[in-house]
Amino acid sequence: MYPTRIRVFEMKKLFYLLSIAALLIIVTVSCEKDVTGISLNKSSLTLKIGETETLIATVQPGKATNKTVTWTSSNPLVATVMPNGLVTALSKGKTTVVATTADGSLSEMCEVIVEQVYVSGITLNKTSIYLEVGEKEQLIATVLPENASNKEVYWSSDYPSRVSVTQDGIITKHQKIGNPHDYTTITVSSIDNNYTAKCRVYDN
């Protein structure tokens, strides 16, 4: 008689435990929310070389269980994108930045256009120099703005037999100019937009 009661009790206990487990599974499943969509705060973005901007991805629904997003750039030579959506412009051109959800592989794109930064001016560290024959001097050109895409320059002298200049900006005095009011002009020119800056070289 007692063994029968024990078996009935054990069966009831097992049934109870199975019911609790099933209920937990149902609750867990009902709490999980699948991703249904993704959007970006911008569909297009224009940057100049060297600039950065962060794209923001919004995963739907707001209570989605897995909101993980991966970022990729179709042309990382033009612009790269970090795991947090930070876009960095590297060179002139176009690329597409894509945000993709880990859940469902849903994606949204942003077209990124990177523009060249044009030269707006050029300066020299010195505008006049007094040199003896045989002396040298290093001139330093600064191309503006600092993030200009093409900072190439060309150096020239209006009287190279008296004062010459290398393409590194090193000037050399070869002979006396003679007239104390006369001078030789060294010119540096930007390849982009042809801005110029000049330095006068006098006899010392």
Side-chain angles (χ1 to χ4, degrees):
M1 181 175 181
Y2 289 107
T4 301
R5 288 182 178 179
I6 292 173
R7 284 197 297 270
V8 171
F9 174 76
E10 290 177 346
M11 289 180 65
K12 287 183 178 180
K13 183 179 179 181
L14 178 60
F15 178 76
Y16 174 75
L17 292 174
L18 290 173
S19 299
I20 294 297
L23 181 61
L24 289 173
I25 292 172
I26 292 171
V27 170
T28 301
V29 172
S30 63
C31 289
E32 290 183 352
K33 298 290 185 181
D34 293 334
V35 172
T36 59
I38 183 174
S39 60
L40 294 178
N41 61 321
K42 292 187 177 182
S43 59
S44 63
L45 183 62
T46 300
L47 298 173
K48 294 187 183 299
I49 295 173
E51 291 183 336
T52 63
E53 185 156 339
T54 299
L55 292 174
I56 300 172
T58 302
V59 176
Q60 294 91 25
K63 294 183 179 181
T65 303
N66 185 357
K67 290 187 176 183
T68 303
V69 173
T70 57
W71 297 85
T72 57
S73 170
S74 63
N75 191 347
L77 294 179
V78 171
T80 59
V81 61
M82 299 294 287
N84 62 350
L86 177 67
V87 178
T88 301
L90 300 179
S91 63
K92 184 180 179 180
K94 293 182 180 180
T95 186
T96 300
V97 171
V98 182
T100 305
T101 63
D103 179 9
S105 296
L106 303 176
S107 62
E108 190 60 59
M109 298 180 295
C110 175
E111 183 183 56
V112 179
I113 300 172
V114 179
E115 297 178 338
Q116 181 173 335
V117 180
Y118 293 99
V119 172
S120 60
I122 187 171
T123 62
L124 280 173
N125 61 321
K126 294 183 178 180
T127 57
S128 63
I129 299 174
Y130 292 83
L131 295 177
E132 297 281 359
V133 173
E135 286 187 325
K136 297 178 183 290
E137 182 80 19
Q138 172 75 66
L139 290 178
I140 300 172
T142 301
V143 177
L144 304 172
E146 185 178 348
N147 64 333
S149 302
N150 184 357
K151 289 189 173 184
E152 289 187 74
V153 297
Y154 176 77
W155 296 85
S156 62
S157 168
D158 68 346
Y159 208 141
S161 62
R162 291 195 303 197
V163 181
S164 63
V165 60
T166 69
Q167 291 309 308
D168 295 320
I170 300 174
I171 61 175
T172 303
K173 180 79 170 291
H174 298 290
Q175 58 183 251
K176 289 184 69 68
I177 297 171
N179 187 336
H181 301 291
D182 198 4
Y183 53 84
T184 298
T185 301
I186 302 298
T187 303
V188 60
S189 307
S190 65
I191 301 301
D192 178 20
N193 280 339
N194 197 35
Y195 283 94
T196 62
K198 299 178 185 293
C199 176
R200 295 177 176 180
V201 182
Y202 296 89
D203 284 337
N204 193 3

